[in-house]
Amino acid sequence: MRVEIWSDIACPWCYVGKARFEKALAAFPHHDRVEVVHRSFELDPTRAKDDTGPVVPMLAKKYGISEAQAQAAEDNLGTQAAAEGLAYRTRDRDHGSTFDMHRLLHFAKAQGRQGELIQALYEANFAEEASVFGDDERLVRIAVAAGLDADGARTVLGDPTAYADDVRADEREAARLGATGVPFFVIDRTYGISGAQPAEVFAQALTQAWGERSPLTLIDQGGAAEACGPDGCAVPQS
């Protein structure tokens, strides 16, 4: 069974939702037969690479609230994150373009390290002091910590076209599936789950999707045709 997760590194609910989903997945009896794929979704795809700024004033402006209210929302997110065992800095975080991070995640997927990198990026953005925005060498160090080759990561970051089509394809697919925000979870292209739902919701969805998988239908045109197997290949009879 495959679970696809559309998310953005700048999205705190994606950080929390990932932890809740993984809690449900760890308790799922068939977890070793579930493939998890992380897909790209930029909250602001028009953002320039060098356009960075503090989170709280941005939230206040975006939602038409006071900075005190925006800070209270950040404090609430910190509480929600802590309940999932996640570190979360509620003060002095910044925000910016995540396009290069998504390109790196596709590079990591090709290297079999996507899960490690997305977790490292989340922790770097939400729990660590150094910014992840506008600093290629900072991203290279994060990639190396996730098990990727430094030169390979540096090459990807130095070429703005590398994996760009993969990012845009993910975003088009999200739109096709009706996702207007993240996190957005799709289980076996049958169930869609929007938002950082409680672990119990994910557990129920995994169980239901597993139980409703269609069994394989064999087509036999009047008898088994020749085939190869563990004992060798059928010998044609004259």
Side-chain angles (χ1 to χ4, degrees):
M1 190 164 73
R2 170 182 278 200
V3 178
E4 298 162 276
I5 307 173
W6 272 264
S7 58
D8 193 7
I9 300 304
C11 163
W13 289 116
C14 295
Y15 181 44
V16 172
K18 177 176 180 291
R20 291 175 177 173
F21 168 76
E22 289 177 346
K23 183 182 294 185
L25 182 61
F28 184 56
H30 311 287
H31 63 88
D32 57 336
R33 296 176 63 186
V34 177
E35 176 191 13
V36 178
V37 178
H38 296 278
R39 299 207 178 276
S40 301
F41 189 108
E42 295 169 275
L43 292 174
D44 188 355
T46 65
R47 193 79 177 261
K49 181 172 181 174
D50 60 355
D51 180 10
T52 63
V55 166
V56 168
M58 178 274 292
L59 291 174
K61 181 179 179 181
K62 181 175 181 179
Y63 296 109
I65 58 178
S66 69
E67 290 196 12
Q69 289 173 311
Q71 185 59 66
E74 278 290 282
D75 292 340
N76 176 58
L77 270 163
T79 300
Q80 299 268 3
E84 304 303 330
L86 301 173
Y88 189 97
R89 292 176 61 238
T90 60
R91 300 292 190 280
D92 302 321
R93 282 197 307 108
D94 64 353
H95 64 107
S97 171
T98 57
F99 184 57
D100 284 349
M101 289 179 243
H102 285 294
R103 295 194 301 110
L104 268 184
L105 283 166
H106 280 280
F107 168 65
K109 180 183 177 183
Q111 307 299 315
R113 306 294 294 182
Q114 191 186 44
E116 291 82 356
L117 180 59
I118 196 168
Q119 186 61 32
L121 287 169
Y122 277 139
E123 291 173 359
N125 184 39
F126 292 110
E128 299 175 9
E129 289 189 17
S131 175
V132 297
F133 301 104
D135 184 348
D136 284 0
E137 284 306 306
R138 168 79 166 131
L139 292 181
V140 169
R141 292 192 294 273
I142 294 169
V144 169
L148 294 166
D149 173 68
D151 289 339
R154 198 172 283 118
T155 297
V156 170
L157 292 170
D159 177 4
T161 67
Y163 297 99
D165 288 346
D166 299 272
V167 175
R168 298 307 182 210
D170 276 358
E171 292 171 341
R172 287 193 299 271
E173 184 68 0
R176 189 188 71 80
L177 292 172
T180 57
V182 284
F184 186 66
F185 302 77
V186 176
I187 303 178
D188 253 6
R189 289 296 170 111
T190 302
Y191 292 97
I193 304 171
S194 182
Q197 300 286 346
E200 295 77 14
V201 173
F202 291 120
Q204 180 182 357
L206 288 168
T207 300
Q208 188 167 340
W210 184 270
E212 293 179 1
R213 290 178 309 144
S214 299
L216 184 68
T217 300
L218 294 176
I219 299 175
D220 186 352
Q221 297 290 344
E226 291 81 3
C228 295
D231 298 323
C233 298
V235 178
Q237 301 296 315
S238 56

